[in-house]
Amino acid sequence: MLIDASEFSPVKLPPQRAAAAAGAVVAGTIPKQHIAVLSSYSRSLTNFRLELLRRLVEAGHSVVAVGPEQDDDVARQLAAIGVEFVCLPMVRTGLNPLTDLATLWSYWRLFRTRQVDVVIPYTMKPIVYGGIAARLAGIKRRYFLVTGLGHVYSDAASKRWLGRRIKQLSVLLYRLALKGAGGVFAYNRADSADIADCRLMSDQRGLTLVPGSGVDLDHYAFSNPPAGRPVFLLVARLLKDKGIGEYVEAAHLVRQQFPEAEFRLLGQFDPSPAAISAETIEAWVSDGSLTYLGETTDVRPHLRDCSVFVLPSYYREGIPRSILEAMSTGRAVVTTDLPGCDETVVDGLNGYLVEPRNARQLAEAMCRFLRAPSLVTEMGLRSRELAQSKFDVHAVNKLLLERMALI
């Protein structure tokens, strides 16, 4: 079994909803619900939530998926499984009261006009503003997927005056959004502990720990690592706190001993102030530091073509989906010993954990695969086994939907 459900208290439904759910169990079905799933990045709806959305539709519910960017490809993929896509603009980064109030108003209007029964937001802004808007709209069934609390809850941020003030504001907003929640799902133990310690929820009994968003083991099928020269791959949005600079620095160190090693980078540019510029990427490519693969809607060919997957992130991750996809494909992993990332690797079994921002330690971990090439295959097999036993998306979604009383 994926998770021992006895570790957690069941989600408590409002009395009228609980009665309806109980009656549905007797009848062998669940009443149709109008459900809104809220995201802060439209493409994440198809990249990370497609199977969850599909299960909701298969259970007989009416589903609208909300994202801030108009993306025709996303809309087509969602329509193919019976989900309507709605674009509601949102500024993903920064705290501008006017734009955030506009986002809150847009959510409230959507909930009222679509007569939404259930709201399921994920990531901070949809959780905060979608959660508050749902409360104002009188929606009782609100379930929150905390995919990662972010850097503001890290020890490093708490040491700075500005970081402490931002965290105080964040705590206040989360409390407003999560008050009376039907359930909150944390993706790693550190976030679960922070939700409890900061009293972000009014009733801690609705808090459930789940192993991330899971991964489709069939879609990300196992493949043997390619023969030939070793290839390391990093897949991430082009942000500094994904550890891309440390990856490049480590590549220089590795090549001093193993000049044949290749280092690849795949990911899209980002509007965040912490983004890496196109000029920086071009400079790294020009001096031979790495091969930039651009961005893609299908990472599978690139995973099949790499030997080892690397994510030296020092961002406060939930559980990185990119690592789960690499594990499912059968790739050894090098990542940081930080909340979220550390739940994907058993150090020395399916990869290595390194200190964040430590390029020298990162380089040493990668060199181990070059000194002992058999580790690439051996640890890749262990990654696949861990993905099968712990991160199967169908088991994760079943747990979520049972806790929400939607199946």
Side-chain angles (χ1 to χ4, degrees):
M1 180 158 180
L2 183 68
I3 280 191
D4 182 1
S6 64
E7 292 180 32
F8 310 109
S9 300
V11 173
K12 296 182 69 177
L13 297 177
Q16 66 275 23
R17 295 293 191 183
V25 171
V26 174
T29 185
I30 296 291
K32 177 180 179 179
Q33 303 292 308
H34 296 280
I35 301 171
V37 177
L38 315 180
S39 75
S40 62
Y41 178 48
S42 296
R43 194 165 293 181
S44 71
L45 292 163
T46 50
N47 288 349
F48 305 146
R49 305 280 172 246
L50 192 63
E51 285 305 311
L52 178 62
L53 294 167
R54 192 195 310 274
R55 285 296 304 275
L56 288 168
V57 173
E58 290 173 351
H61 304 300
S62 171
V63 184
V64 56
V66 182
E69 303 93 7
Q70 184 59 52
D71 190 314
D72 293 339
D73 187 53
V74 168
R76 280 192 296 269
Q77 290 186 62
L78 293 178
I81 63 169
V83 173
E84 181 187 2
F85 174 68
V86 171
C87 177
L88 290 184
M90 170 196 298
V91 179
R92 285 194 284 129
T93 59
L95 289 171
N96 183 317
L98 293 179
T99 58
D100 289 344
L101 281 173
T103 297
L104 189 151
W105 164 253
S106 297
Y107 279 144
W108 180 87
R109 186 172 55 183
L110 174 75
F111 299 155
R112 299 286 291 189
T113 57
R114 299 300 180 91
Q115 297 182 319
V116 170
D117 302 304
V118 181
V119 174
I120 307 173
Y122 62 94
T123 67
M124 182 178 179
K125 283 202 172 184
I127 286 175
V128 168
Y129 299 114
I132 294 172
R135 285 185 61 195
L136 293 173
I139 297 172
K140 302 297 183 183
R141 298 186 65 178
R142 292 171 280 117
Y143 303 99
F144 301 89
L145 309 182
V146 182
T147 56
L149 284 174
H151 180 68
V152 68
Y153 285 84
S154 67
D155 292 338
S158 297
K159 292 177 182 177
R160 301 191 300 271
W161 180 87
L162 181 59
R164 290 194 297 272
R165 300 290 83 78
I166 293 175
K167 181 177 179 179
Q168 288 173 350
L169 176 60
S170 171
V171 166
L172 173 62
L173 291 173
Y174 269 118
R175 286 176 179 173
L176 288 172
L178 302 183
K179 184 176 176 61
V184 174
F185 301 89
Y187 276 33
N188 63 58
R189 297 186 185 279
D191 284 345
S192 179
D194 281 337
I195 290 169
D197 293 344
C198 297
R199 301 190 302 281
L200 301 186
M201 298 176 62
S202 53
D203 185 352
Q204 300 294 333
R205 291 175 297 175
L207 178 61
T208 300
L209 180 66
V210 296
S213 57
V215 63
D216 188 331
L217 298 167
D218 295 325
H219 189 70
Y220 294 94
F222 175 83
S223 66
N224 289 310
R229 66 175 180 170
V231 174
F232 297 93
L233 173 67
L234 192 165
V235 179
R237 285 181 295 144
L238 302 184
L239 300 171
K240 295 173 184 176
D241 49 14
K242 294 293 185 178
I244 297 171
E246 287 74 12
Y247 179 64
V248 171
E249 185 179 347
H252 291 156
L253 296 172
V254 171
R255 284 213 186 91
Q256 292 175 10
Q257 300 179 58
F258 301 96
E260 73 279 12
E262 183 179 356
F263 299 84
R264 297 176 181 174
L265 172 65
L266 174 69
Q268 71 271 26
F269 290 95
D270 195 276
S272 166
I276 295 173
S277 68
E279 291 74 20
T280 298
I281 296 295
E282 289 171 5
W284 284 336
V285 171
S286 296
D287 68 16
S289 298
L290 54 76
T291 301
Y292 177 54
L293 304 173
E295 60 179 294
T296 183
T297 57
D298 188 359
V299 73
R300 291 174 297 171
H302 301 287
L303 290 174
R304 288 195 294 267
D305 288 344
C306 80
S307 311
V308 176
F309 186 83
V310 183
L311 183 64
S313 174
Y314 48 90
Y315 181 77
R316 179 71 176 264
E317 305 277 358
I319 290 184
R321 177 64 177 267
S322 60
I323 295 182
L324 299 186
E325 292 166 353
M327 291 171 62
S328 183
T329 308
R331 295 299 174 266
V333 175
V334 179
T335 190
T336 45
D337 190 10
L338 281 178
C341 293
D342 64 357
E343 303 207 14
T344 63
V345 170
V346 178
D347 194 47
L349 179 71
N350 70 310
Y352 298 106
L353 295 172
V354 301
E355 293 179 358
R357 303 176 190 253
N358 191 329
R360 191 164 295 278
Q361 196 175 110
L362 177 62
E364 174 55 30
M366 291 191 284
C367 282
R368 292 177 186 176
F369 294 100
L370 299 168
R371 297 191 191 104
S374 63
L375 290 176
V376 171
T377 300
E378 293 167 7
M379 289 189 168
L381 287 170
R382 302 293 86 77
S383 278
R384 175 67 181 186
E385 290 170 359
L386 279 171
Q388 290 172 318
S389 65
K390 189 176 181 182
F391 298 110
D392 181 352
V393 69
H394 301 297
V396 173
N397 287 340
K398 183 173 184 289
L399 174 64
L400 289 173
L401 297 180
E402 285 178 345
R403 294 303 176 86
M404 298 179 196
L406 292 173
I407 58 172

